[in-house]
Amino acid sequence: MNTRFGAAAGPFLIWVVAMVLILVAWQLLVWATGLPPYVIPPPALAFSTLLDNWPRLSVLTGQTLYETAIGYLLGAVIGFLLALAMGQIRVVQRLVMPALIISQAVPIVAIAAPLVIIFGFGITPKLIIVAWIVFFPVVVNVLDGLASVDRDMLNLARLMGGGSLRTFAIVKLPACIGPLFSGLKIGATYAVTGAVIGEWTASSKQGLGTYLLTANAQMNTAGVYAAMLLLTVIGVGSFLLVFGLEVLMTPWRSRSTAPAWAQWKPSQPAS
Amino acid sequence: MPDPRQPPSEPLPMQSASTKLSIGDLNVRFGSVVALKDVSLDIADGEFVCILGASGCGKSTLFNVVSGLLKATSGKIVLDGQDVSNRPGQVGYMLQKDLMLPWRTVLGNITLAASLTRGATAKDRDEAAELASRYGLGDFLNHYPHALSGGMRQRVAMMRTIAAGRQVMLLDEPFGALDAQTRLGMQQWLLQLWRDLKRTILFVTHDVDEAIYLADRIVVMTPRPGRIADILTVDLPRPRPLEVLTTDTFVGLKRQIMQHLYH
C-alpha cells in the first residue's frame, strides 16, 4: 500500500478506473454467458433496482451501517486496550493469547447462533460478532508494535530519567499507532461481513443482510446484487475512512516536516 | 532500582579536585566469562578520553556499568566525588544507533529528556532550538528524522545528549555507521562542540585514527579478559587541523597503539 500523501490523488483515479473495469467485466460476463437476469443481472438492472428501492434500501443500509460502525468501534477499542494490557503485563499476555487464538479459530457463523440464544434478536449479537472480527487484527498488530520498540531506546529513556508512565506515553504508545492502523484497515473490510452474518442468524430489525436473504428466497437476484453493491460501498468506504485517518494521524510517515500545527516557532520573550 | 533523579549520596574523600569521573577497580563477570578485569581510570573535568579496542574488549560493558545500566561484579563509579554505582541517569549516553523517535521532529527528539522527566516547556524548546541552530541544524528543526541523512541524525542524537544536561557524556561509537567523509566532518563538529560546551567526554571507538584525532588521552583495551593495556597521552595541540593526521607525533602514536592491538 502506498501511504504517501502526495500520491493520494492518484489512488482516487485508480479507484474510479478499477470500478469501471469491474462493471465492464460484469456486463461482458452477462453478454458472453447469455444467462438470464435472474441468474446474473446486468449492472444496469442492479443499479436501477437499487435506485427504485432506494427509500427502503437506504433505511436497511443505515441499520447495517449502524451495526458495523458501533461494533467496529467496540472491537477496535477493546482490542487496543487489551493489547496494551498484554504488552505491559506478561502474565496477561500468557493467559489471554491462547484464548484469543481459540476465539478466532471458532467459525464465526458457529458463534452467531449461541449469541442469539443468549442476547436475543436485538442489536447486541451483531455488535459482538463485528467486534469479535475486528479486535483480533488490532490486538495482534498493536502487540507487534509494542514489541518492536528498541530495547536500547527504552534504556536511553531510563538513563534520561524517564518515569514508566511518561516513557510509555512518549516512547511506546506512539510506536503502536502505525500497527494499530494496519489492524484497523484489515478490520474495516471484514466488519460489514460480521454485521451481515449477525443479521442472517436472527434479526428483529431489518438490515441489508436480512434483505439479501429475502431477495434471494424470492429469486429477486437484482435485489441481491443491489444489496451486494451497498455492502461493498460500506466496506470500501470504511477502509478509505480509516486510511484517511491514518494519513492524518501518522504525518511522519508521509511528510518530511511536521504539519503546521506541530511546528516549532520561536516563542516571544515575555514583555 | 535506585531513582535516577535522586541526588547521589555520601561524598567520598581522596578524589583530586579536577577528577570528574573515577572508575575504581571494576570487575564484571558473566558466569565464567570475565568481561572486565581490574579496570581503573580517572577522568579529569573537561577531558576527552577515547577508549580504543577491538570488539569483545569490554568497551560497551564498561559503558553500561558507568551509565548504571549494568551492575558490576565489583568496583565503583565515582562522579564528582560521589558514589554513583548502579545509579542510572547520572551521565549522558549516546550509541551508534541514533535511536530517533520517528514521530517526533528533530526538535522534539532533542528535547526528549525534558519530555521524559517533567514535560518540555516552551523555554526548553527555545533553548534547544538555539543550541541546534548554532551547530548547523537550524533548517531542520521541524523535520522528521527519516528525512535526514545518517550523519544529520547523529548530530541530532548528540544535541539530544547535550540537552539532557549531563556534564559527562559517554559516546559509544557514535560515528561507527557513517562513511569516512561524513565521519571526519562529524569529528571536527564534535571537537567544536566539546570546546564550546566544556563537557567531559568518554568516547568508545575501534578506529585508531579517530581516537588520536579526538582524544586528550587514549585508553587501549584488550580482550579476554577485557582490561586496560595502556593509557597514552595525545600530545597534539588544539584546535587540531586535519594536517595533524599526518604529523610524526600522530603516526608515532598510531604505531604504538597498533602494537598493542595487533601484537
Side-chain angles (χ1 to χ4, degrees):
Chain A
M1 163 96 27
N2 187 350
T3 54
R4 307 261 334 158
F5 194 74
F12 180 71
L13 207 72
I14 288 167
W15 276 98
V16 174
V17 173
M19 280 191 282
V20 170
L21 282 178
I22 289 168
L23 292 179
V24 168
W26 179 358
Q27 184 66 60
L28 285 176
L29 191 71
V30 173
W31 280 334
T33 57
L35 289 167
Y38 61 84
V39 180
I40 306 180
L45 182 60
F47 277 106
S48 66
T49 309
L50 196 163
L51 289 178
D52 293 345
N53 295 292
W54 181 244
R56 170 133 192 268
L57 282 174
S58 63
V59 175
L60 302 180
T61 305
Q63 176 64 22
T64 302
L65 191 58
Y66 177 68
E67 294 159 3
T68 307
I70 304 290
Y72 183 83
L73 284 177
L74 268 176
V77 170
I78 293 170
F80 186 60
L81 294 180
L82 188 63
L84 292 186
M86 289 169 77
Q88 288 303 100
I89 310 163
R90 277 197 77 80
V91 186
V92 176
Q93 181 158 356
R94 292 244 176 97
L95 285 175
V96 174
M97 205 58 195
L100 274 189
I101 295 166
I102 291 168
S103 81
Q104 298 301 303
V106 180
I108 197 78
V109 193
I111 299 165
L115 283 179
V116 168
I117 295 168
I118 298 169
F119 295 105
F121 299 160
I123 195 170
T124 315
K126 284 98 187 164
L127 297 186
I128 293 175
I129 292 171
V130 174
W132 194 293
I133 291 176
V134 170
F135 95 111
F136 189 68
V138 170
V139 169
V140 171
N141 280 286
V142 172
L143 270 180
D144 277 353
L146 283 174
S148 75
V149 177
D150 197 327
R151 280 222 68 80
D152 287 327
M153 187 66 231
L154 294 174
N155 278 337
L156 182 71
R158 206 177 125 207
L159 289 180
M160 285 180 160
S164 54
L165 201 66
R166 280 185 189 274
T167 302
F168 177 75
I170 291 171
V171 177
K172 286 182 147 185
L173 202 56
C176 298
I177 299 177
L180 168 67
F181 274 102
S182 301
L184 287 178
K185 281 188 289 189
I186 297 171
T189 50
Y190 285 153
V192 69
T193 308
V196 168
I197 290 172
E199 289 177 14
W200 278 1
T201 313
S203 219
S204 58
K205 241 185 172 165
Q206 300 274 298
L208 283 176
T210 46
Y211 176 83
L212 208 68
L213 276 190
T214 320
N216 196 36
Q218 296 167 343
M219 292 282 274
N220 174 13
T221 316
V224 172
Y225 274 65
M228 217 161 71
L229 281 171
L230 289 169
L231 288 169
T232 309
V233 168
I234 295 178
V236 173
S238 316
F239 181 89
L240 291 179
L241 195 71
V242 173
F243 176 59
L245 205 63
E246 178 186 21
V247 173
L248 278 180
M249 287 191 64
T250 56
W252 63 90
R253 289 180 158 195
S254 51
R255 308 169 52 105
S256 56
T257 56
W261 57 267
Q263 294 223 355
W264 171 82
K265 286 164 210 74
S267 59
Q268 296 299 312
S271 50
Chain B
M1 188 189 91
D3 187 340
R5 282 153 295 181
Q6 289 291 317
S9 54
E10 39 165 325
L12 297 171
M14 84 195 176
Q15 300 294 320
S16 82
S18 71
T19 300
K20 186 74 181 172
L21 179 76
S22 177
I23 297 165
D25 215 10
L26 220 55
N27 282 279
V28 176
R29 277 191 293 276
F30 300 114
S32 61
V33 179
V34 180
L36 284 181
K37 188 172 166 55
D38 304 332
V39 172
S40 292
L41 182 65
D42 281 355
I43 295 141
D45 194 10
E47 196 178 12
F48 199 131
V49 173
C50 278
I51 316 264
L52 185 68
S55 51
C57 72
K59 297 173 292 188
S60 294
T61 304
L62 176 62
F63 266 27
N64 285 334
V65 172
V66 174
S67 68
L69 282 175
L70 183 70
K71 202 173 182 319
T73 312
S74 68
K76 67 170 73 167
I77 308 296
V78 177
L79 177 69
D80 288 326
Q82 299 186 304
D83 191 342
V84 295
S85 311
N86 308 320
R87 281 177 178 276
Q90 304 301 315
V91 297
Y93 195 71
M94 175 180 167
L95 302 179
Q96 183 176 327
K97 279 192 275 188
D98 56 61
L99 297 176
M100 293 283 111
L101 294 175
W103 48 85
R104 291 192 147 221
T105 61
V106 164
L107 195 67
N109 273 288
I110 295 176
T111 54
L112 181 64
S115 298
L116 279 170
T117 47
R118 55 188 161 77
T121 61
K123 185 164 166 282
D124 290 322
R125 279 187 279 272
D126 287 350
E127 283 172 6
E130 200 273 323
L131 179 77
S133 302
R134 208 178 333 140
Y135 294 100
L137 289 168
D139 294 336
F140 302 100
L141 295 174
N142 290 312
H143 276 62
Y144 289 115
H146 77 83
L148 305 184
S149 66
M152 290 303 268
R153 281 207 296 274
Q154 281 307 77
R155 285 175 197 238
V156 178
M158 184 74 72
M159 288 293 142
R160 177 183 61 192
T161 314
I162 290 167
R166 307 289 187 270
Q167 290 304 306
V168 176
M169 305 202 303
L170 311 182
L171 312 181
D172 191 353
E173 301 196 39
F175 309 146
L178 305 176
D179 64 81
Q181 308 297 318
T182 311
R183 182 187 273 221
L184 201 55
M186 292 294 284
Q187 290 164 359
Q188 292 171 298
W189 182 79
L190 174 62
L191 284 181
Q192 189 200 340
L193 265 175
W194 170 70
R195 203 172 58 233
D196 293 353
L197 301 174
K198 309 210 165 24
R199 303 281 173 104
T200 306
I201 293 182
L202 218 62
F203 187 108
V204 156
T205 181
H206 57 247
D207 178 337
V208 181
D209 286 22
E210 181 169 66
I212 304 173
Y213 183 61
L214 293 175
D216 293 322
R217 278 191 303 157
I218 298 173
V219 177
V220 182
M221 293 186 69
T222 50
R224 284 176 301 273
R227 54 181 196 86
I228 294 177
D230 199 0
I231 300 179
L232 301 110
T233 302
V234 181
D235 208 3
L236 290 167
R238 294 189 190 268
R240 295 176 181 167
L242 287 180
E243 288 75 51
V244 304
L245 293 170
T246 47
T247 56
D248 290 343
T249 317
F250 192 98
V251 176
L253 273 169
K254 189 167 176 176
R255 190 178 303 124
Q256 219 176 325
I257 293 167
M258 301 283 255
Q259 275 165 3
H260 279 297
L261 296 179
Y262 310 104
H263 60 88

